[in-house]
């Protein structure tokens, strides 16, 4: 056993045999050791007893053989032209290899729930016992189409076949609606109120989840590794100074001032004659998202369902031309708008009944309108969005996206009534979608129809009593109707819901204001919360349309404003200004108009306006010609398109609620003309002052201010608004009027 052990352990066989002490034994041992050595060599060992694999020289030899075979194989491939390398390079150039896309391509045939990927939900569906023969056939057919078109580009959408049928819906009032009274007005015409407390204003900077183009989300989700530059479909909503302006009770929609498509006075309204043949799947096939899915939820399972909900934009025919659609869509995503327009127009020409091709054409026209700043092109896009919805066999999600976008672009152009008709149609087509009803309510508010808006939100709240979006808007309407106490719970509960569209400075503003008016001390808690959430500059300064970075303080001196010459001129000529004001009052022509913005708790307060939004009131200036001539020298006042120049008379027993102006872009000067000896005072923030005849007070009315008139006779002052001194000339020129 010892020699075997030594041999196995790598010892020398002859040495082992000599150590036995017997010649015969040694001879036998030597023979036995030699035999074992041969066996071990056969199994890969060394003759010297050392364990090991293939020797270094053998390994090198095999390596050289393999290397030479590889070289000669490559030579043969090139020499005999066995592979078309140019074709391979061309295909590689067209493809953007992405690991997730490769995996999805392999697993796409198992996409059982139609959401574009293979996941746990698909596995559950596939594991359930069911008759899958038809499904397998359909999947194979889809896979064949995908294989045939792969060389044209990557997949942009993973869609499930959605059964649709052409369903004709009648809507006579929708077809015959007229927008003759809704032609575009000049952005600077019309009368805007001094304060915007009871007008509902759209701020595009506020989160508006329901306004997001869901198709854009799909592209990003299904192409996570894309390194291509993506063009944002909402570039019209950038803003240089963080200002947006919209008054719901005006019929002119004002987009961001530095990104607005110029609107002319003689702009032609887009067509409102919308064909009846808008087709959507039957109600049971529409797969409406429950109202709750548009709101925040604490249910993780529900959150997952909301997250995975994707719009289905392709019908069966469009899936057969999916590669061509994807190729055109890639051009749009890369910002090659003109090329994309041509590509989609060609697809529409080839496939006139393709909803997705026409939708792509509408999107490209939309992008092109932005690029060229063209209303004409945008009107074309609006019409094309309607054409999409009027085609046969259009997926319900595509109908919804097209008409919603149509409505938004109509609003952008100021076609509020046309937008309202589109929203009505959407609600008719999708009666179970409360988010669309909420949009319809906003549509009514945009034309100042608070009563119909109220009915819409009442209907929504009857079906979904916890809909926060409906609550805040319903509360706003109640407050505008001076139902102050009734409005508070709706505004409060709506904000607390956290639903999309409720975390908005306007609602904090109106909730706090309502609480102040009923003596509820929680008002400042809500103002503080609004400030913490970025809606207000501070608890005191609560204007909604602001330029960031401007110096903010409630009270100013003449020297701080830099407008010392204006102040000196006003104070030197205060008696002239006073006399013309009193003369207008004595004529009793009704030129002094009552304050109509619901700012008074009680009393009598009227105003006579000479300049509004930087525009001179020629008729009014006939009553105060010397005053107007005096002011013409000071463009910081006459050119302030976010302010007014006016006389203000307040009679005894008047109290003006605490309120704030709409913007931080102006400062307000008060020149005392007729001031009773006592009983009149004004508070701005936490400091109270009184007027003096012939003296100017200057304050920033974006800070909370309040007025009392408890004297025994009237108080007359002259109000002059001026641009904030830190605004640049370009900002003064470009900021929209308020």
């Amino acid at each position: 056993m010892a020699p075997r052990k030594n041999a196995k352990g790598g010892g020398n066989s002859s040495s082992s045999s000599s150590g036995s002490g017997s010649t015969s034994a040694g001879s036998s041992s030597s023979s036995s050791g030699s035999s074992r050595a041969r066996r071990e060599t056969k199994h890969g060992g060394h003759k010297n007893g050392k364990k090991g694999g293939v020797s270094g020289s053998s390994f090198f030899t095999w390596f050289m053989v393999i290397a030479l075979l590889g070289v000669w194989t490559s030579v043969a491939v090139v020499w005999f032209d066995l592979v078309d390398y140019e074709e391979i390079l061309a295909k590689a150039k067209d493809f953007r290899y992405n690991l997730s896309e490769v995996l999805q391509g392999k697993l796409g045939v198992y996409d059982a729930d139609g959401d574009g990927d293979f996941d746990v939900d698909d596995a559950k569906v596939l594991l359930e016992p069911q008759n899958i023969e038809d499904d397998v056939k359909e999947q194979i057919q889809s896979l064949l189409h995908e294989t045939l078109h792969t060389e044209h580009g990557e997949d942009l959408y993973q869609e499930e076949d959605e059964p649709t049928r052409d369903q004709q819906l009648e809507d006579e009032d929708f077809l015959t609606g007229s927008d003759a009274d809704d032609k575009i007005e000049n952005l600077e015409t019309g009368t805007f109120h001094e304060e915007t407390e009871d007008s509902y204003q759209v701020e595009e900077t506020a989160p508006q989840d329901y306004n997001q183009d869901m198709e854009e989300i799909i592209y990003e989700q299904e192409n996570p590794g894309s390194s291509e530059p993506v063009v944002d479909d909402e570039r019209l909503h950038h803003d240089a100074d963080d200002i947006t302006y919209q008054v719901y009770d005006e019929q002119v929609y004002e987009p961001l001032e530095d990104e607005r498509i110029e609107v002319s006075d003689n702009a032609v309204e887009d067509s409102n004659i919308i064909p009846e043949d808008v087709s959507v799947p039957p109600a049971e096939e529409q797969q409406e998202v429950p109202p709750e899915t548009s709101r925040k939820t604490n249910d993780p399972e529900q959150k997952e369902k909301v997250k995975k909900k994707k719009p289905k934009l392709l019908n069966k025919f469009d899936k057969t031309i999916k590669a061509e659609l994807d190729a055109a869509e890639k051009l749009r995503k890369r910002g090659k708008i003109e090329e994309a327009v041509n590509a989609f127009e060609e697809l529409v020409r080839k496939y006139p009944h393709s909803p997705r091709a026409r939708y792509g054409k509408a999107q490209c026209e939309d992008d092109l309108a932005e690029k060229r700043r063209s209303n004409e092109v945008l009107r074309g896009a609006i019409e094309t969005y309607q054409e999409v919805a009027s085609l046969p066999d259009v997926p319900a999600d595509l109908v919804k996206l097209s008409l919603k976008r149509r409505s938004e672009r109509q609003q952008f152009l100021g076609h509020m009534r046309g937008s309202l008709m589109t929203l009505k149609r959407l609600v008719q087509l999708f009666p179970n979608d409360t988010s669309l009803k909420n949009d319809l309510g906003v549509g009514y508010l945009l034309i100042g129809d608070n009563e119909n808006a109220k009915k819409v939100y009442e209907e929504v709240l009857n079906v979904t009593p916890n809909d926060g979006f409906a609550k805040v808007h319903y509360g706003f309407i109640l407050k505008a109707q001076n139902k102050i106490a009734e409005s508070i719970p709706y505004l409060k509960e709506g904000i607390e819901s956290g639903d999309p569209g409720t975390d908005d400075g306007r609602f904090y503003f109106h909730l706090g204001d309502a609480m102040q008016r009923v003596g509820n001390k929680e008002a400042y808690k809500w103002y503080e919360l609004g400030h913490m959430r970025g809606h207000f500059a501070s608890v005191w300064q609560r204007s909604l349309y602001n330029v960031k970075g401007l110096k903010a303080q409630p009270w100013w001196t003449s020297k701080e404003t830099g407008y010392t010459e204006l102040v000196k001129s006003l104070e030197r000529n205060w008696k002239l200004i006073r006399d013309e004001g009193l003369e207008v009052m004595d004529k009793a022509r009704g030129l002094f108009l009552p304050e109509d913005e619901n700012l008074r708790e009680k009393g009598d307060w009227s105003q006579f306006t000479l300049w509004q939004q930087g525009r001179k009131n020629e008729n009014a200036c006939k009553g105060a010609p010397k005053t107007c001539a005096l002011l013409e020298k000071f463009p910081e006042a006459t050119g302030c398109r976010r302010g007014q120049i006016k006389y203000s008379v307040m009679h005894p027993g008047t109290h003006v609620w605490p309120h704030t102006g709409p913007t931080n872009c102006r400062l307000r000067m008060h020149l005392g003309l007729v001031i009773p000896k006592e009983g009149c005072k004004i508070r701005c923030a936490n400091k109270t002052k009184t007027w003096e005849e012939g003296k100017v007070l200057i304050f920033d009315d974006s800070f909370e201010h309040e007025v009392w008139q408890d004297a025994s006779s009237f108080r007359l002052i002259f109000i002059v608004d001026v641009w904030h001194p830190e605004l640049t000339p370009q900002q003064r020129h470009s900021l929209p009027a308020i």
Side-chain angles (χ1 to χ4, degrees):
M1 293 298 292
R4 181 178 181 88
K5 183 175 181 181
N6 289 340
K8 188 174 181 181
N12 188 287
S13 57
S14 59
S15 300
S16 300
S17 61
S18 63
S20 63
S22 166
T23 303
S24 60
S27 176
S28 175
S29 177
S30 175
S31 175
S32 175
S34 177
S35 176
R36 281 194 300 273
R38 283 194 298 272
R39 285 198 301 270
E40 291 183 10
T41 301
K42 182 178 180 180
H43 291 288
H46 296 285
K47 289 184 179 181
N48 63 3
K50 293 182 179 180
K51 187 179 179 180
V54 180
S55 68
S57 60
S58 297
F59 180 86
F60 180 75
T61 300
W62 280 109
F63 175 79
M64 291 300 298
V65 169
I66 293 171
L68 288 171
L69 285 173
V71 171
W72 283 109
T73 301
S74 300
V75 171
V77 168
V78 175
W79 182 265
F80 294 107
D81 197 19
L82 299 179
V83 178
D84 186 353
Y85 285 102
E86 291 183 359
E87 181 180 354
I88 290 176
L89 291 173
K91 288 185 177 182
K93 188 176 182 180
D94 289 339
F95 273 82
R96 289 180 299 158
Y97 288 104
N98 183 292
L99 179 60
S100 64
E101 292 173 5
V102 172
L103 293 176
Q104 292 300 325
K106 291 181 179 179
L107 299 176
V109 70
Y110 299 107
D111 176 16
D113 61 1
D115 63 353
D117 57 11
F118 178 76
D119 50 24
V120 175
D121 292 335
D122 300 314
K124 289 179 180 177
V125 174
L126 293 172
L127 289 174
E128 292 177 1
Q130 54 183 310
N131 183 3
I132 62 171
E133 182 177 349
D134 293 338
D135 291 341
V136 171
K137 290 180 180 178
E138 188 174 339
Q139 292 166 354
I140 292 174
Q141 186 67 24
S142 176
L143 187 60
L144 287 173
H145 286 305
E146 183 177 349
T147 304
L148 289 172
H149 298 295
T150 296
E151 63 182 12
H152 292 285
E154 62 185 317
D155 292 339
L156 298 182
Y157 306 94
Q158 296 288 339
E159 307 284 357
E160 176 188 19
D161 281 339
E162 180 177 7
T164 59
R165 66 181 178 88
D166 192 8
Q167 180 177 353
Q168 308 297 328
L169 298 177
E170 297 183 359
D171 181 15
E172 293 301 327
D173 68 312
F174 182 64
L175 298 174
T176 59
S178 172
D179 280 331
D181 60 339
D182 196 33
K183 291 186 179 181
I184 305 307
E185 303 174 16
N186 188 295
L187 290 175
E188 294 186 347
T189 62
T191 301
F192 285 74
H193 299 307
E194 174 186 347
E195 311 297 344
T196 58
E197 182 148 331
D198 288 315
S199 57
Y200 188 54
Q201 304 145 351
V202 171
E203 280 192 288
E204 298 293 343
T205 53
Q208 300 281 337
D209 294 355
Y210 53 87
N211 283 337
Q212 191 169 11
D213 188 342
M214 295 172 68
E215 186 273 335
E216 300 291 333
I217 299 174
I218 294 302
Y219 183 87
E220 294 300 327
Q221 289 176 340
E222 296 186 356
N223 296 273
S226 173
S227 59
E228 299 292 339
V230 177
V231 178
D232 186 1
D233 200 41
E234 297 296 333
R235 287 172 296 176
L236 287 167
H237 302 297
H238 294 170
D239 95 85
D241 54 27
D242 302 299
I243 299 173
T244 54
Y245 181 58
Q246 167 61 39
V247 180
Y248 268 149
D249 54 10
E250 296 292 330
Q251 295 184 16
V252 178
Y253 177 79
E254 298 192 16
L256 299 177
E257 58 279 358
D258 60 328
E259 290 291 335
R260 185 189 307 112
I261 292 179
E262 205 60 40
V263 181
S264 61
D265 288 335
N266 59 350
V268 180
E269 170 65 288
D270 58 285
S271 172
N272 283 316
I273 307 303
I274 301 180
E276 291 185 52
D277 55 345
V278 177
S279 58
V280 297
E284 65 271 17
E285 296 177 2
Q286 290 180 13
Q287 298 180 350
E288 295 285 359
V289 182
E292 290 77 7
T293 62
S294 65
R295 301 196 301 269
K296 294 182 180 179
T297 174
N298 294 323
D299 183 357
E301 183 177 350
Q302 184 68 17
K303 284 184 179 179
E304 184 65 21
K305 289 181 181 178
V306 175
K307 183 179 179 181
K308 292 187 69 63
K309 174 66 179 177
K310 298 176 183 177
K312 298 175 177 60
L313 308 182
L314 304 183
N315 62 14
K316 290 184 178 180
F317 172 76
D318 280 342
K319 288 186 178 182
T320 67
I321 61 168
K322 184 170 177 295
E324 295 176 78
L325 292 168
D326 291 349
E329 182 67 12
K330 281 203 305 186
L331 293 172
R332 191 178 79 86
K333 295 296 182 182
R334 292 172 179 172
K336 300 178 180 179
I337 307 302
E338 287 82 1
E339 294 179 44
V341 169
N342 294 334
F344 275 112
E345 284 180 345
E346 176 62 19
L347 288 174
V348 170
R349 188 190 66 78
K350 289 171 61 178
Y351 313 113
H353 295 296
S354 165
R356 183 61 185 87
R358 203 168 294 265
Y359 180 68
K361 177 175 179 283
Q363 287 185 303
C364 290
E365 291 171 340
D366 205 336
D367 294 341
L368 192 62
E370 174 196 340
K371 182 177 181 179
R372 296 181 179 175
R373 326 305 299 162
S374 169
N375 283 351
E376 182 180 358
V377 176
L378 185 54
R379 282 191 287 270
I382 289 171
E383 221 29 63
T384 307
Y385 282 123
Q386 169 54 35
E387 292 173 4
V388 175
S390 65
L391 290 173
D393 195 30
V394 186
D397 288 338
L398 192 57
V399 171
K400 188 180 296 186
L401 280 177
S402 298
L403 292 182
K404 282 193 68 173
R405 187 60 177 171
R406 172 183 164 88
S407 171
E408 291 165 4
R409 308 321 282 152
Q410 287 173 309
Q411 289 179 7
F412 183 85
L413 285 179
H415 302 167
M416 300 306 173
R417 296 189 183 278
S419 172
L420 182 65
M421 303 303 284
T422 304
L423 290 168
K424 284 183 178 179
R425 189 60 168 170
L426 274 166
V427 170
Q428 290 174 347
L429 294 172
F430 305 97
N432 297 324
D433 190 332
T434 56
S435 70
L436 295 178
K437 291 182 180 179
N438 282 334
D439 290 345
L440 178 61
V442 172
Y444 279 118
L445 288 173
L446 283 167
I447 64 170
D449 189 350
N450 285 16
E451 282 301 322
N452 273 316
K454 185 178 180 181
K455 292 177 183 177
V456 170
Y457 291 122
E458 285 174 345
E459 182 181 342
V460 172
L461 291 172
N462 284 335
V463 177
T464 54
N466 295 320
D467 190 305
F469 187 91
K471 281 187 173 182
V472 289
H473 286 79
Y474 190 67
F476 162 78
I477 295 169
L478 290 175
K479 183 172 179 291
Q481 295 175 340
N482 211 28
K483 298 178 180 178
I484 306 299
E486 293 179 44
S487 71
I488 292 175
Y490 288 99
L491 288 166
K492 182 173 180 290
E493 292 170 12
I495 294 174
E496 289 175 339
S497 73
D499 289 357
T502 61
D503 186 26
D504 189 302
R506 294 165 294 183
F507 302 124
Y508 291 86
F509 180 99
H510 287 293
L511 174 58
D513 182 66
M515 287 181 166
Q516 280 183 303
R517 296 191 183 197
V518 299
N520 189 328
K521 295 182 180 179
E522 288 189 8
Y524 287 96
K525 288 175 56 179
W526 287 97
Y527 290 148
E528 177 65 29
L529 183 59
H531 166 57
M532 291 174 60
R533 293 184 175 176
H535 302 305
F536 305 138
S538 70
V539 173
W540 290 117
Q541 190 180 26
R542 302 189 298 272
S543 52
L544 297 175
Y545 304 99
N546 304 319
V547 170
K548 291 182 178 179
L550 298 181
K551 182 178 180 179
Q553 62 187 44
W555 294 98
W556 290 64
T557 65
S558 171
K559 185 177 181 180
E560 287 174 325
T561 67
Y563 301 134
T564 54
E565 290 303 315
L566 172 59
V567 172
K568 288 178 182 178
S569 180
L570 291 173
E571 292 183 341
R572 279 197 307 265
N573 296 280
W574 75 273
K575 289 183 179 180
L576 179 153
I577 298 170
R578 178 198 63 187
D579 292 345
E580 287 195 329
L582 290 173
E583 186 178 352
V584 172
M585 288 178 64
D586 291 341
K587 289 179 180 178
R589 298 178 188 170
L591 296 178
F592 272 81
L593 302 177
E595 180 274 327
D596 61 353
E597 299 169 58
N598 195 27
L599 297 178
R600 287 169 293 158
E601 178 189 11
K602 58 182 181 178
D604 185 353
W605 175 24
S606 299
Q607 300 168 343
F608 174 56
T609 303
L610 304 178
W611 266 268
Q612 179 92 359
Q613 297 178 327
R615 301 184 65 169
K616 183 179 180 181
N617 185 332
E618 297 291 348
N619 287 331
C621 280
K622 290 177 182 178
K626 294 179 181 178
T627 299
C628 289
L630 180 70
L631 289 166
E632 294 278 11
K633 305 173 185 177
F634 302 100
E636 63 267 30
T638 58
C640 181
R641 294 184 299 110
R642 293 200 157 194
Q644 303 90 35
I645 300 175
K646 58 191 177 183
Y647 289 93
S648 173
V649 60
M650 189 174 290
H651 294 277
T654 301
H655 173 232
V656 178
W657 293 111
H659 62 286
T660 61
T663 178
N664 73 338
C665 295
R666 73 187 186 199
L667 299 179
R668 175 154 286 185
M669 297 183 178
H670 280 191
L671 172 65
L673 300 178
V674 178
I675 309 298
K677 291 184 178 180
E678 57 182 26
C680 295
K681 58 184 178 180
I682 178 172
R683 173 184 64 83
C684 186
N686 56 0
K687 187 172 183 179
T688 301
K689 294 189 177 185
T690 58
W691 296 273
E692 294 181 46
E693 292 182 355
K695 297 297 181 181
V696 171
L697 289 178
I698 308 174
F699 66 100
D700 184 340
D701 77 326
S702 64
F703 285 80
E704 179 183 291
H705 53 287
E706 182 177 11
V707 177
W708 296 266
Q709 214 288 43
D710 295 321
S712 57
S713 60
F714 71 87
R715 180 228 64 181
L716 179 65
I717 63 172
F718 189 58
I719 298 176
V720 179
D721 289 337
V722 293
W723 286 117
H724 192 291
E726 293 183 354
L727 286 174
T728 66
Q730 191 277 333
Q731 288 173 317
R732 299 182 188 196
H733 175 75
S734 62
L735 289 172
I738 294 180

